[in-house]
Amino acid sequence: MFGKGKTVADQLVEVLIQAGVERIYGLVGDSLNALTDAIRRNDAIEWVHVHNEEAAAFAAAAEAQLTGKLAVCAGSCGPGNTHLIQGVFDAHRSAAPVLAIASHIVSTEIGSGFFQETDPKQLFGQASHWTEMVSSAEQMPRMARMGIQQAVGKRGAAVLVMPGDVLAAEATNETGAGHAVAGPVLGAPSDYVLEDLAERINAAKTVAIFGGIGCADAREQVLQLAEWLGAPVGHTLRGKDVLQYDNPYDVGMSGLLGYGACYEATHEADLLLLLGTDFPYRQFLPQKNTIQIDIDPSRLGRRTALDLGVAGDVGATITRLMPKLERKDHKFLDRMLTKHVRELDRVVDAYTRDVEHLVPIHPEYVASILDEEAADDAVFTADTGMCTSWAARYITPNGRRRLLGSFVHGTMANALPHALGAAKLDPGRQAISMSGDGGLAMLLGELLTAKLHNLPVKVVVFNNSSLGMVRLEMLVAGDPPYETDHDHVDFAAIARAAGLFSVRVEKPDEVRGALRSVLDHDGPALLDVVTDPDALEIPPHITKEEAAGFALAAGKSVLSGGVGQMLHLARTNLRNLPR
């Protein structure tokens, strides 16, 4: 295709197509004109218009996480870049291979304080493995391929900065043939490390496993190890998809969103094995008697003190390790499994039992009905906050479902644009956005994106007129809620005005039928459920300080005249408070 008249933008598009890219999510702008025109003239790739560049990066991140392959987003210069960075940051911290094309002002004006000028290299530096600017046509297509390799090889974001005039310039080099991009090297550690690892495991009477997303391709090896060692298996939120389903050794999840016997198992075992996780909450780890295995050496020991840190792929390491291990009995495992059942009966089932008549509707009840009615291969996306809690506790993985969220970066408003990316990738697969009213309000314009492309996303709004997680955090800190609650909003009416099918529900006996009508609708649809703002997620393990915080917050509310509020809060959560 090389010849007179081909632009650098044409060349960039060719490289992306060679890398398997089928679409670019973005919002058009004058500094991107050459790129969007190149896409217009090439039938092998499409431009997916969104209403905020942030959503473009979220959508690309969802696609990349579902496929494991490169996805691409783009933003125009200046404000387009500053919108884009939020989603790029989330993609990067989620280890999603995303290439962000950040256009820049005309190159002759860089450094002059020109209209809409920013410094993209500084801006995206913390949000990517690699951010570089193409200053001339002579650097292409090599720079584009370098960016792709950085994103795919290091699993995260790479940013290609392209001044508008460089995109529009005539290409000077031939594009050439593409090449296969390789991901991380998957290997086991050296023999002497494996011997040390085996000796330490064999010396421990009881062992527990706590696994994360790094076990995604090692599920069978982890379960084999658990059976051999009689080890209960806990998981992080990102490890839920991988390790919970059909797992006879599962003891739940630890952390602020946790449930079951995971905390006790990890603390009572003689040895804890951290497998493929960078779990950030140090207070939920024992901080002793721990071995960590991770493919990224930089993660070893940064969350907990280690007896041994092992750099290697989880699956490959276990495979090489198994012949060196002595078999252990299952007494510790059986005790933890028994405790796990008791904890599930008390914590997870408590809110969904006998709540069909409670108004406002308990959000846990909505999540449990959603779990029952959703497709076996549905993609769930959860907003950061209480929706993540309900997804963690009530959405059941089965090896075919997927759960996506901003589980590392922790930004609000991710659920809807994540669902847009999932629906664009595979319109025939159910994509369900578990949206908080606060998160949905931040990127409300993306309902228009769903309508524009007729993407069959199903948005379930947990509408409690409150920033529920912030509310909980205030209570834990000993403060009564302040500025967390807001006016009631009819999101169903807003969605209907945007052209979506929508239903609003205020009574629990209407939830299942309304949800079914939304899930069955052929096209984008929204279910607006009015839920109880006082239904709070309580961790399975809270410290004395946190318990004291609840008491202090209650006292402050009573002193300020809020007795009724605290009474309602107490009654709402009584069954779920740790005893």
Side-chain angles (χ1 to χ4, degrees):
M1 291 181 63
F2 179 74
K4 188 174 182 180
K6 180 195 291 188
T7 66
V8 169
D10 290 318
Q11 196 166 59
L12 174 58
V13 167
E14 290 174 8
V15 171
L16 294 176
I17 293 170
Q18 290 174 358
V21 175
E22 298 179 4
R23 63 191 63 85
I24 299 175
Y25 300 91
L27 190 62
V28 296
D30 60 348
S31 56
L32 282 170
N33 283 351
L35 177 61
T36 52
D37 187 62
I39 294 170
R40 178 186 64 82
R41 292 182 280 101
N42 196 317
D43 293 335
I45 195 169
E46 66 173 323
W47 180 267
V48 182
H49 175 77
V50 298
H51 288 76
N52 187 306
E53 290 89 350
E54 180 178 348
F58 279 130
E63 179 178 322
Q65 289 177 82
L66 290 170
T67 65
K69 299 177 181 178
L70 182 73
V72 180
C73 59
S76 58
C77 66
N81 283 192
T82 56
H83 283 300
L84 187 69
I85 192 172
Q86 177 73 293
V88 172
F89 221 132
D90 181 74
H92 183 57
R93 299 200 70 190
S94 299
V98 169
L99 177 69
I101 300 170
S103 66
H104 200 4
I105 62 171
V106 61
S107 56
T108 55
E109 296 293 343
I110 293 174
S112 70
F114 194 68
F115 176 65
Q116 293 189 325
E117 182 175 6
T118 60
D119 187 339
K121 284 198 66 174
Q122 288 194 44
L123 182 67
F124 288 98
Q126 191 181 352
S128 65
H129 288 301
W130 180 92
T131 297
E132 294 295 340
M133 184 169 71
V134 178
S135 302
S136 68
E138 286 77 10
Q139 293 175 277
M140 288 289 285
R142 186 167 67 100
M143 287 287 283
R145 292 197 172 108
M146 287 171 61
I148 290 170
Q149 190 57 49
Q150 290 283 333
V152 175
K154 292 183 177 178
R155 312 304 290 179
V159 181
L160 190 65
V161 181
M162 303 286 296
D165 58 315
V166 175
L167 278 169
E170 185 172 329
T172 60
N173 298 318
E174 291 198 31
T175 304
H179 61 88
V181 290
V185 176
L186 306 180
S190 59
D191 288 340
Y192 79 88
V193 174
L194 288 169
E195 291 292 343
D196 189 7
L197 176 58
E199 286 181 12
R200 293 174 184 272
I201 294 175
N202 289 335
K205 184 177 180 181
T206 58
V207 177
I209 293 171
F210 188 53
I213 191 64
C215 298
D217 296 319
R219 170 184 159 82
E220 295 307 316
Q221 292 95 324
V222 172
L223 296 189
Q224 182 186 13
L225 179 66
E227 193 284 327
W228 191 254
L229 298 179
V233 178
H235 55 81
T236 65
L237 179 55
R238 298 185 74 200
K240 177 183 172 78
D241 277 351
V242 178
L243 295 175
Q244 181 184 319
Y245 72 94
D246 294 338
N247 179 356
Y249 320 108
D250 178 59
V251 290
M253 195 167 78
S254 193
L256 298 172
L257 311 181
Y259 56 86
C262 182
Y263 182 90
E264 286 76 9
T266 56
H267 281 71
E268 293 182 23
D270 293 336
L271 181 65
L272 173 62
L273 299 180
L274 297 179
L275 304 182
T277 177
D278 191 33
F279 182 72
Y281 300 104
R282 299 177 64 250
Q283 67 270 34
F284 290 95
L285 297 173
Q287 298 298 321
K288 61 181 181 179
N289 304 329
T290 301
I291 291 175
Q292 183 177 3
I293 302 174
D294 200 286
I295 197 168
D296 184 350
S298 69
R299 295 173 181 158
L300 298 176
R302 72 178 180 182
R303 308 301 184 190
T304 181
L306 295 179
D307 292 353
L308 180 66
V310 177
D313 172 68
V314 172
T317 300
I318 294 175
T319 298
R320 292 275 306 278
L321 179 66
M322 284 297 296
K324 305 176 186 295
L325 297 179
E326 300 168 1
R327 189 177 182 87
K328 300 184 189 295
D329 65 48
H330 282 207
K331 292 179 182 179
F332 176 65
L333 171 62
D334 293 344
R335 181 162 63 85
M336 289 297 108
L337 291 175
T338 300
K339 182 173 181 58
H340 181 57
V341 172
R342 289 200 303 265
E343 290 297 309
L344 287 181
D345 285 341
R346 181 178 65 82
V347 178
V348 178
D349 290 343
Y351 268 132
T352 57
R353 189 184 300 124
D354 301 324
V355 295
E356 292 86 350
H357 62 284
L358 295 180
V359 177
I361 301 168
H362 274 226
E364 302 89 332
Y365 177 67
V366 179
S368 68
I369 298 300
L370 176 60
D371 182 52
E372 295 172 8
E373 295 293 333
D376 288 341
D377 66 344
V379 176
F380 298 87
T381 64
D383 262 337
T384 297
M386 300 309 295
C387 284
T388 298
S389 298
W390 312 141
R393 292 191 173 190
Y394 296 98
I395 300 303
T396 306
N398 58 10
R400 299 174 63 203
R401 287 176 166 180
R402 290 294 304 275
L403 173 61
L404 302 180
S406 184
F407 299 145
V408 182
H409 189 47
T411 181
M412 292 174 64
N414 62 282
L416 175 55
H418 272 159
L420 294 175
K424 185 63 181 177
L425 173 68
D426 186 355
R429 187 179 186 183
Q430 213 172 62
I432 302 171
S433 172
M434 297 176 67
S435 294
D437 53 336
L440 180 61
M442 292 180 76
L443 285 177
L444 192 59
E446 297 313 314
L447 291 176
L448 302 177
T449 301
K451 175 60 178 175
L452 174 66
H453 301 292
N454 196 31
L455 296 175
V457 295
K458 313 304 178 187
V459 183
V460 180
V461 187
F462 290 72
N463 189 356
N464 62 3
S465 301
S466 176
L467 300 176
M469 183 61 76
V470 180
R471 209 169 191 265
L472 175 61
E473 290 165 345
M474 287 182 177
L475 288 167
V476 169
D479 299 322
Y482 178 70
E483 291 295 323
T484 57
D485 302 340
H486 44 262
D487 288 343
H488 297 286
V489 176
D490 188 339
F491 286 99
I494 294 173
R496 196 174 302 117
L500 279 71
F501 173 75
S502 64
V503 181
R504 183 175 170 89
V505 172
E506 298 183 13
K507 297 179 180 179
D509 59 0
E510 299 173 351
V511 170
R512 191 180 297 272
L515 179 60
R516 193 67 264 161
S517 68
V518 165
L519 293 177
D520 290 342
H521 179 73
D522 183 16
L526 181 144
L527 176 64
D528 183 10
V529 187
V530 179
T531 59
D532 190 345
D534 286 327
L536 302 177
E537 176 270 332
I538 308 297
H541 177 83
I542 61 175
T543 66
K544 292 180 180 179
E545 291 77 13
E546 290 166 340
F550 277 105
L552 181 59
K556 290 179 179 178
S557 290
V558 169
L559 290 173
S560 64
V563 179
Q565 176 192 357
M566 292 311 302
L567 181 59
H568 184 255
L569 176 70
R571 285 175 174 168
T572 301
N573 293 289
L574 179 62
R575 291 176 295 175
N576 204 31
L577 287 171
R579 292 176 174 83

